[in-house]
Amino acid sequence: MPKSKPHILVTDDERGIRNTLKEILEFEDYEVSLAESGTETLEMISKNEFDLLFLDIKMKGIDGIETLRQIRTAGFEFPVIMISGHGTIDIAVEATKMGAFDFLEKPPDLNRLLLTVRNALSQQDLAKEVKQIRKKLPKIQEIIGESKAINRIKEMINKVAPTQSRVLITGENGTGKELVAKWIHEKSPRSGEVFVEVNCAAIPSELLESELFGHEKGAFTGANEQRIGKFEQADGGTLFLDEIGDMSLEAQAKVLRALQENTITRVGGNGSIKVDVRILAATNKDLQSEIKEGNFREDLFHRISVIPIEVPSLNDRTGDIPLIARSCLEKLKATDISFSSVEFDESGLKALKKRKWTGNVRELYNAVERLGILSADGLIDKESVESVLKSKEIDGKDLGGLADETDNFQDFKETAERIFLVKQLEKNDWNISQTADAVGLQRSHIYNKMKKYNIER
């Protein structure tokens, strides 16, 4: 099927300018439509498809700058070339900031006009190609690995995704529990709807209820307007409750009720709101032990764990480490040109396989980034791995010994902070609230630090 002519709209309140541009552009084999005002332009683009717009700045009624603003606000992305007989640098800058492709003064030079049109249409074609490529790309990253353990996870995802069953995903920090949840949603009948995530550990307990269920205006101090909670936002789609083991008992009770009745009530509200949400949950805790200790409701556990999926640690699938490391490096290359010449050799990959990864895939990704920056000549070999990642082994040393081990201030500071947090957590029997009070940090900050430094009990 032959490609149709590019369709150009010329907007100018001077008939002579409109007709002159129309003759020039039609002679170049473009399809041309005309408008004499901003209002007429907005009406025409709402009913027709255009590839390019010539837009006069000085017009009666809605001027060109305001017309351009409304075009971009409405989401139209075609290039716009501004034209004016009263051009100034300030006007050109303002138009460019609002998304104009170029600015031409009247009467425009013919050669420059045609060159600008060709450049604008080429950019438009490129933008369309990029959109098409992005549509074909997977929305979320692949689960990388060929081990038996990871293949079982992929098989389980394929089985449970088409159902409406609730899934509890367990595993250590950094193993990819969130990625498993996203793939369950992606392969489910709800994939066209929203995927809403809540990190229950990162939100203070006193704010979690409002975060989940929303609140009415005036429900509490600071509630200056109505807020829609995550349950309502996820209506028709999937709600992922990450770190559900850190949810307070009070919030657990309300989540249980929402799951039993498929309704929620906003904080400060009276009416029940019906919601259709598929729940996926994840935790790095042993919820059975938490139930025995009185920290987690058994009835909620049975509600959320219809299908349990345990994600293996990286130490349980070391054969996947080379694949994951190479994938991490390719992602870095795609976003940062400074990694373009970095490569692994086999000795470097074997050295990575021999290490213990308490932080799992998340830790491995960070390690690859550090290796890519610090390895000599861009080659990540055994010597690079052993020298660059040696700081991992100094957790138990005093700060004097730590200072002897590294000349990098950032490494020293982060390792010292990790040692301090581990000591404080041990001192408080790993009670997060007590530790937060003792060191003067918010509970959510402690959780964030634990994730950052891969700290586990």
Side-chain angles (χ1 to χ4, degrees):
M1 183 177 176
K3 186 177 179 181
S4 60
K5 297 179 182 180
H7 192 179
I8 300 174
L9 175 61
V10 176
T11 300
D12 197 298
D13 58 1
E14 296 182 52
R15 180 181 297 175
I17 294 291
R18 292 198 303 273
N19 291 337
T20 298
L21 289 175
K22 180 179 172 68
E23 288 179 12
I24 292 171
L25 294 169
E26 286 184 338
F27 184 79
E28 295 293 324
D29 206 28
Y30 297 119
E31 181 183 353
V32 182
S33 297
L34 303 177
E36 60 179 332
S37 68
T39 301
E40 186 180 1
T41 298
L42 294 171
E43 184 178 347
M44 289 180 70
I45 65 174
S46 68
K47 297 177 180 178
N48 304 276
E49 288 191 12
F50 293 100
D51 299 293
L52 175 64
L53 169 63
F54 278 94
L55 183 59
D56 188 18
I57 289 181
K58 297 290 185 182
M59 297 186 294
K60 294 178 182 179
I62 303 175
D63 67 12
I65 295 293
E66 174 60 21
T67 303
L68 174 60
R69 187 191 69 77
Q70 291 192 35
I71 287 170
R72 292 302 184 229
T73 301
F76 294 102
E77 298 178 352
F78 50 73
V80 178
I81 299 172
M82 307 299 290
I83 51 177
S84 176
H86 314 279
T88 67
I89 292 177
D90 289 343
I91 291 175
V93 169
E94 184 179 2
T96 303
K97 282 182 177 179
M98 295 182 66
F101 178 79
D102 205 347
F103 178 88
L104 301 178
E105 289 189 62
K106 297 179 187 177
D109 175 79
L110 179 60
N111 289 330
R112 188 187 169 196
L113 183 145
L114 294 177
L115 178 62
T116 302
V117 168
R118 284 194 291 271
N119 289 341
L121 291 173
S122 295
Q123 184 194 65
Q124 178 74 345
D125 288 341
L126 181 61
K128 288 178 179 177
E129 286 179 21
V130 170
K131 277 190 174 182
Q132 291 300 317
I133 292 171
R134 284 178 176 169
K135 283 181 181 179
K136 294 176 183 178
L137 292 173
K139 296 177 185 177
I140 54 179
Q141 73 178 71
E142 295 291 333
I143 297 175
I144 299 168
E146 297 174 354
S147 61
K148 288 183 179 179
I150 214 65
N151 283 333
R152 281 196 296 269
I153 295 294
K154 293 176 182 178
E155 289 171 8
M156 184 67 79
I157 289 172
N158 289 333
K159 286 181 180 179
V160 304
T163 73
Q164 298 297 325
S165 298
R166 299 180 187 122
V167 181
L168 177 63
I169 307 162
T170 58
E172 298 174 4
N173 282 335
T175 50
K177 299 187 292 295
E178 178 186 354
L179 188 58
V180 171
K182 286 182 175 178
W183 272 112
I184 292 173
H185 172 76
E186 183 69 16
K187 295 192 172 194
S188 77
R190 296 172 181 256
S191 60
E193 304 296 333
V194 292
F195 177 89
V196 178
E197 180 180 356
V198 182
N199 188 325
C200 302
I203 302 169
S205 56
E206 61 272 16
L207 298 179
L208 184 59
E209 186 180 349
S210 172
E211 186 77 14
L212 291 173
F213 306 114
H215 62 248
E216 299 291 356
K217 182 178 180 181
F220 49 81
T221 303
N224 299 321
E225 58 184 21
Q226 184 189 73
R227 177 176 182 175
I228 303 301
K230 300 297 188 184
F231 266 87
E232 282 185 82
Q233 292 175 32
D235 189 31
T238 302
L239 179 62
F240 177 46
L241 299 176
D242 196 11
E243 306 295 358
I244 194 171
D246 294 286
M247 185 181 289
S248 69
L249 288 169
E250 184 180 359
Q252 290 176 37
K254 294 186 177 179
V255 168
L256 176 63
R257 181 183 173 192
L259 299 186
Q260 288 172 332
E261 302 177 4
N262 293 321
T263 61
I264 58 105
T265 301
R266 297 187 192 127
V267 177
N270 296 317
S272 294
I273 301 168
K274 192 166 184 62
V275 289
D276 172 24
V277 174
R278 182 183 187 179
I279 296 292
L280 305 177
T283 183
N284 62 355
K285 293 186 174 181
D286 180 351
L287 292 189
Q288 297 282 15
S289 298
E290 294 294 307
I291 290 169
K292 290 177 183 178
E293 294 175 14
N295 297 325
F296 202 83
R297 295 181 63 112
E298 186 173 10
D299 45 5
L300 178 59
F301 172 77
H302 292 304
R303 285 277 177 181
I304 62 174
S305 62
V306 176
I307 305 290
I309 296 179
E310 183 173 1
V311 184
S313 70
L314 196 53
N315 295 323
D316 290 332
R317 55 181 186 112
T318 55
D320 290 333
I321 287 176
L323 288 172
I324 299 170
R326 284 197 173 103
S327 173
C328 293
L329 184 57
E330 289 305 313
K331 286 179 188 173
L332 291 167
K333 288 182 177 183
T335 57
D336 190 336
I337 194 170
S338 63
F339 289 92
S340 59
S341 61
V342 178
E343 297 294 343
F344 279 105
D345 82 352
E346 288 303 316
S347 70
L349 293 171
K350 286 179 181 178
L352 290 177
K353 285 178 68 174
K354 290 179 180 179
R355 293 178 65 82
K356 292 296 181 185
W357 298 96
T358 56
N360 294 291
V361 177
R362 188 183 298 129
E363 183 188 3
L364 177 57
Y365 187 97
N366 292 339
V368 171
E369 184 172 3
R370 183 184 294 186
L371 287 164
I373 294 169
L374 300 179
S375 295
D377 302 322
L379 181 66
I380 303 177
D381 55 14
K382 179 182 177 181
E383 289 72 25
S384 299
V385 172
E386 291 177 350
S387 62
V388 173
L389 302 184
K390 66 181 179 180
S391 61
K392 179 178 172 59
E393 310 301 332
I394 59 180
D395 280 2
K397 297 189 177 182
D398 60 28
L399 294 184
L402 175 59
D404 291 335
E405 290 283 351
T406 179
D407 297 322
N408 185 288
F409 176 71
Q410 188 65 25
D411 280 352
F412 175 86
K413 187 177 75 169
E414 290 185 357
T415 307
E417 188 173 41
R418 187 183 195 281
I419 293 170
F420 173 77
L421 282 174
V422 171
K423 294 291 185 186
Q424 292 297 322
L425 286 161
E426 289 174 347
K427 189 186 296 184
N428 291 282
D429 195 29
W430 292 84
N431 184 301
I432 306 298
S433 297
Q434 287 181 17
T435 304
D437 291 340
V439 302
L441 288 175
Q442 293 183 15
R443 183 169 167 264
S444 57
H445 288 178
I446 296 288
Y447 278 113
N448 290 337
K449 295 288 186 186
M450 290 175 71
K451 276 199 166 183
K452 178 180 179 180
Y453 299 126
N454 302 305
I455 296 172
E456 295 181 352
R457 186 167 187 170

